[in-house]
Amino acid sequence: MDTNTSLQALMKGPLPPLYFCIGSPVVGNPTQHMMEKAFEQLGYPGRYLTIEVDPDELEPSIWGLLAMHFQGGNVTAPFKQEVLSYLDELTKSASLCDAVNCITRKDDGTYIGDNTDGKGFLQSLVEIVPDLKKRKVVVFGSGGAASAIVTELALHGVREVVVVNRTLTRAKTLVDNLAGISRTTLSWEPWEGIYQIKEHDLVVVQATSVGLFQPDDCIKVAFTPDLHNVIACDVVFNPVETTFLKKAKLAGCQTLDGLGMLVNQGAIAVKQWTGKEPDRALMRSSLEEAFAIC
Ligand code: NDP
C-alpha cells in the first residue's frame, strides 16, 4: 500500500485489517515478510505483526488479539495445541490433528482455527505425484508437522501410510487417533537402528525436526541405491536442500523440499483471509530473501 493510501486510511478510515504470528521464540520466523509481500502484490491493505508471547501469558495475549478484532493470524511452536481452547470453531483438519496454525475471524465475529501445514504439504506433493492415492507413504516423525501431514494424507485417501517415530508410543497414538477417518490403511513401525528405504514407488516424508538449521544432520535412514520412482520429501525448510534430500537424490529419488509446504500453507491462509489467490512464486522468493540473512 503506498504512503498516501496508508495515510488516508489512518486519518479517515477504515483502519487496515490486522494479522499476527505468535510463538516463542518467534524471532527468525520469516512469515511476516512473506505475508506482507503477498498482501502488497494483491493490493490488500492488511498489516501483519510478529509477536513474541510468553508461554505463561498465552491466555491474556489471545484474548487481547481477539478483543482488538485482529482478522486472523498464524500460530507457531509451542502454542499450536494450547490455542485450540480459545477458538469458537475448528476445521476438520485442525480437529483431527489437534493443532491449529491458522486463525481466521469470520463475518459474524467468531474465530475459526485451521491447520494448513498438512494441506500445504499435500498441495506440493500432488503437483509432482498425480497418482498419490495409489501410493504407499512412509512418514518419519509424530510431532505437529507429521500429525498434520498424516491427517491430510488420510483425508486425501492415499492407499497406505506407515508412521515411523523415535518414540514409538507417539507413532501409535497418532495412528490410533486417525483410525477409521478414511479408507487409508494406517500403521506404525518401530525405528530400530538405521531404517532402510528399499521399496520402489514409495513416497517417504522426513517430518521430524532433525536438520533444521543443522545442514549436516540427518535422521537415521539409508537409501538402497537405484530406487525407481521414489519421492523423498523433507519438511525442513532451512537449509532448503537437507542432507536427507541429498542422500535421497544420490539413490535416484525425486525430491521435494520444505519450502514449497511453507509457501503453500501461507498461501492457503492468505486466500482464507482475503478471498484472493496470492502469488506463490513471490512468496517463495521472499522466504529465500529472508533466509539469506540467517
Ligand atoms: P515437534 O517438536 O512437534 O516434533 C518433532 C519430531 O521430531 C518428533 O517426532 C520427534 O520424535 C522427532 N525428532 C526430534 N529429534 C529427533 C532425532 N534426533 N531423531 C529422530 N527423531 C527426532 O516438531 P514439529 O512437528 O512441529 O516440527 C518438525 C519440523 O517440521 C520442524 O523442523 C519444523 O520447522 C518443520 N515444519 C515445517 C513446516 C513447513 O511448512 N515446511 C511447517 C511446520 C513445521 P520424538 O517423538 O521421538 O521426540
Side-chain angles (χ1 to χ4, degrees):
M1 200 168 42
D2 63 60
T3 314
N4 197 32
T5 318
S6 165
L7 192 55
Q8 286 275 335
L10 182 65
M11 300 311 290
K12 296 185 173 173
L15 291 170
L18 299 177
Y19 297 87
F20 59 81
C21 176
I22 54 169
S24 179
V26 80
V27 172
N29 186 312
T31 308
Q32 174 178 328
H33 186 58
M34 173 174 78
M35 293 304 193
E36 284 178 341
K37 290 282 183 194
F39 287 171
E40 192 184 333
Q41 192 270 332
L42 289 172
Y44 181 70
R47 292 285 174 88
Y48 192 102
L49 292 172
T50 302
I51 306 171
E52 182 81 33
V53 169
D54 187 312
D56 293 333
E57 289 175 344
L58 178 65
E59 182 167 355
S61 303
I62 282 282
W63 290 139
L65 292 166
L66 305 192
M68 287 187 285
H69 293 190
F70 270 69
Q71 296 299 304
N74 293 113
V75 182
T76 188
F79 304 128
K80 285 185 183 181
Q81 289 187 307
E82 207 180 334
V83 83
L84 262 73
S85 53
Y86 305 110
L87 302 172
D88 301 296
E89 201 182 331
L90 297 175
T91 62
K92 188 172 184 182
S93 301
S95 157
L96 283 171
C97 68
D98 201 28
V100 161
N101 74 325
C102 178
I103 296 174
T104 303
R105 185 173 197 263
K106 299 195 343 181
D107 291 342
D108 64 3
T110 59
Y111 286 88
I112 181 163
D114 192 10
N115 193 307
T116 60
D117 284 335
K119 291 175 188 169
F121 172 79
L122 190 69
Q123 281 184 355
S124 297
L125 187 58
V126 166
E127 272 175 30
I128 61 166
V129 192
D131 66 343
L132 181 63
K133 286 188 184 178
K134 297 182 189 156
R135 298 288 192 111
K136 173 178 170 182
V137 184
V138 175
V139 178
F140 297 99
S142 294
S147 166
I149 286 170
V150 174
T151 299
E152 289 309 324
L153 289 171
L155 289 176
H156 185 70
V158 303
R159 180 170 61 82
E160 184 179 357
V161 179
V162 180
V163 181
V164 181
N165 192 47
R166 180 179 61 176
T167 308
L168 186 58
T169 48
R170 290 187 81 190
K172 287 180 178 171
T173 304
L174 173 53
V175 166
D176 287 350
N177 287 347
L178 295 176
I181 67 160
S182 74
R183 291 166 68 179
T184 300
T185 305
L186 290 163
S187 63
W188 46 263
E189 271 179 30
W191 194 347
E192 282 152 2
I194 310 274
Y195 189 97
Q196 191 73 36
I197 298 165
K198 53 183 183 224
E199 263 180 75
H200 297 303
D201 302 318
L202 208 60
V203 176
V204 286
V205 186
Q206 193 307 100
T208 77
S209 46
V210 176
L212 184 68
F213 305 124
Q214 306 292 337
D216 297 330
D217 287 3
C218 185
I219 51 169
K220 290 180 180 163
V221 291
F223 291 86
T224 299
D226 300 322
L227 284 171
H228 171 72
N229 202 20
V230 170
I231 319 291
C233 319
D234 204 323
V235 299
V236 168
F237 47 77
N238 192 356
V240 178
E241 191 173 41
T242 58
T243 298
F244 175 80
L245 294 183
K246 284 181 186 161
K247 279 187 179 181
K249 242 181 211 169
L250 280 175
C253 307
Q254 189 178 351
T255 58
L256 181 66
D257 65 52
L259 214 48
M261 171 180 174
L262 192 59
V263 168
N264 287 342
Q265 60 82 28
I268 295 166
V270 172
K271 180 86 195 290
Q272 283 184 17
W273 297 336
T274 68
K276 294 176 186 166
E277 196 59 62
D279 180 340
R280 293 181 195 224
L282 173 76
M283 291 171 79
R284 184 171 174 114
S285 64
S286 72
L287 287 174
E288 286 164 348
E289 190 178 32
F291 292 140
I293 291 173
C294 297

